[in-house]
Amino acid sequence: MTAPIQENQLLALIVDDEPFFRTVLRLFLEQDGYRVAEAENGIEAINVFEQLHPDIILLDISMPDMDGVECCHKLHSSDQGQHTPILMLTSVEDERSINHAFAVGATDYVTKPVLLPILRQRLKRLIEQSQLQQKLLAANQQLQLLVNLDELTQLANRRRFEEYLSLEWQRQTRSQQPLSLILCDVDFFKSYNDTYGHLAGDGTLVKIARAIKDALKRTADLVARYGGEEFAVVLPDTDALGAIHIAKTICCAVRTLAIPHRNSLLCSHITLSAGSTTVVPQPNSDFQQIIATADRALYQAKAAGRDRFIHSSLDSSFANPTCYLFGSSAPKRCGFC
């Protein structure tokens, strides 16, 4: 049973097999401004918890079928339960049972018969601690996000890129599946900044970042700002054909933006050069290898005239790169390579 919900009321879940004791606690907690839910055994408690997500749980340590210690363990094992304080209720100070309860996630305990003024202070302290922990957790998550985020483009930054690429390199080494990487560079971007100013340049980078991110459809694919006007795309479980398709899509998406660049030596709007590579990582290898190969491919794309991308296999020692040229028509292989 649950009292009518009021804004900002805390929800307490009472779990006890004695109806009279539950009633006494419910009346006391409601007088103190709590909403109250009840369960008469551990199985019911888990179901109620999953439905209502209470702010605190008062859990009897001695119940039939599933005792409080086992119930506490199951509650604490859930993601939500890890942050919910659990106050154990015990008829005797059984040190072994109490230690066991703390070991599986209990936050505190009180003995029966419960002294209500003491219970009030214990609940207040546990709620305050829980709220503080949740604020700290949210702050840490936000800080971690900021540490891994490029402030301008809101993409992953280089730190996050290298961390993610390293993890995927290890994962693909175990699974022996292909991993692809694309490095992109905005053509003649220094000239663009000199012509339109750095504020306009920042705005253009934001638009390009959004276009690259929108070209990807899988949550496993990561787009990062690799440098000033350079972007990196990590494509797990992606073979060469998949990487070539994504690189084409990205270059075409940036061209479609039609951002004017009157001092470009290529055309009247912003274009990209890109280098991509695909590899099945081998044991005892280093993820820096794929970066070096994609970087060489990018360098060759720029040396070949820009506004194109080159795909190269790391395993081919760069012997047979494939160059795709852009222009007024659809992407096509060029005479380079």
Side-chain angles (χ1 to χ4, degrees):
M1 297 185 296
T2 305
I5 297 175
Q6 297 180 19
E7 188 176 0
N8 296 326
Q9 268 190 306
L10 297 170
L11 174 60
L13 171 59
I14 302 171
V15 187
D16 197 291
D17 60 326
E18 298 180 22
F20 177 74
F21 184 69
R22 291 201 310 272
T23 300
V24 171
L25 283 185
R26 177 173 57 80
L27 294 174
F28 171 74
L29 292 174
E30 287 176 346
Q31 288 179 348
D32 269 18
Y34 290 86
R35 289 186 295 128
V36 179
E38 299 179 24
E40 63 180 4
N41 56 57
I43 296 174
E44 185 180 349
I46 293 170
N47 292 332
V48 173
F49 175 81
E50 291 175 347
Q51 293 175 18
L52 301 181
H53 304 298
D55 298 289
I56 192 165
I57 301 171
L58 292 79
L59 178 60
D60 188 19
I61 203 169
S62 178
M63 295 184 296
D65 299 326
M66 179 188 294
D67 65 19
V69 174
E70 182 182 355
C71 180
C72 179
H73 175 66
K74 290 183 180 296
L75 290 169
H76 190 70
S77 297
S78 69
D79 292 338
Q80 181 73 21
Q82 292 178 8
H83 308 295
T84 305
I86 300 175
L87 178 67
M88 304 300 296
L89 308 170
T90 176
S91 298
V92 293
E93 291 201 28
D94 179 353
E95 184 175 348
R96 181 181 178 187
S97 297
I98 292 170
N99 288 339
H100 194 185
F102 278 119
V104 297
T107 315
D108 201 352
Y109 80 98
V110 293
T111 57
K112 295 179 179 179
V114 175
L115 297 178
L116 296 181
I118 292 178
L119 177 62
R120 176 183 291 116
Q121 294 304 316
R122 293 282 180 89
L123 292 175
K124 180 181 178 182
R125 179 174 59 83
L126 292 179
I127 289 289
E128 288 175 348
Q129 288 179 347
S130 175
Q131 291 174 339
L132 178 59
Q133 288 173 352
Q134 291 182 45
K135 288 180 180 179
L136 289 173
L137 179 62
N140 287 335
Q141 290 174 338
Q142 183 63 25
L143 179 61
Q144 188 63 34
L145 180 63
L146 293 174
V147 167
N148 291 324
L149 203 66
D150 176 65
E151 184 176 0
L152 175 65
T153 63
Q154 297 299 293
L155 297 177
N157 58 18
R158 183 155 179 171
R159 176 184 181 275
R160 174 57 181 157
F161 159 73
E162 293 190 345
E163 177 184 68
Y164 188 72
L165 183 59
S166 176
L167 290 173
E168 284 302 319
W169 186 271
Q170 296 172 40
R171 188 173 72 84
Q172 307 295 36
T173 299
R174 292 191 298 269
S175 65
Q176 284 298 281
Q177 294 299 311
L179 175 66
S180 293
L181 173 66
I182 303 171
L183 294 182
C184 310
D185 184 82
V186 183
D187 294 325
F188 301 111
F189 191 69
K190 182 180 184 304
S191 172
Y192 184 90
N193 275 337
D194 292 342
T195 303
Y196 298 97
H198 288 276
L199 187 61
D202 287 348
T204 291
L205 290 176
V206 170
K207 292 177 183 177
I208 292 171
R210 187 179 304 119
I212 295 174
K213 189 171 184 179
D214 289 345
L216 305 177
K217 305 303 179 185
R218 304 181 309 174
T219 56
D221 299 335
L222 179 80
V223 187
R225 188 179 182 192
Y226 188 66
E229 66 270 18
E230 288 186 300
F231 299 90
V233 182
V234 181
L235 302 169
D237 301 304
T238 304
D239 60 15
L241 289 178
I244 289 170
H245 172 74
I246 294 296
K248 286 181 182 179
T249 303
I250 288 172
C251 290
C252 287
V254 172
R255 266 188 156 268
T256 302
L257 293 174
I259 301 172
H261 187 355
R262 64 173 179 266
N263 286 331
S264 171
L265 300 180
L266 288 171
C267 60
S268 60
H269 56 265
I270 286 286
T271 58
L272 282 185
S273 296
S276 61
T277 188
T278 301
V279 65
V280 176
Q282 298 303 305
N284 302 317
S285 60
D286 191 331
F287 74 91
Q288 294 292 342
Q289 296 174 20
I290 195 173
I291 297 177
T293 304
D295 193 52
R296 287 197 300 268
L298 172 59
Y299 176 82
Q300 287 210 0
K302 292 163 71 174
R306 292 181 169 85
D307 192 21
R308 68 196 70 206
F309 73 89
I310 285 181
H311 183 85
S312 175
S313 170
L314 188 153
D315 299 324
S316 67
S317 300
F318 216 69
N320 297 299
T322 304
C323 181
Y324 292 85
L325 172 66
F326 290 81
S328 57
S329 61
K332 59 184 180 181
R333 292 182 184 228
C334 70
F336 181 77
C337 70

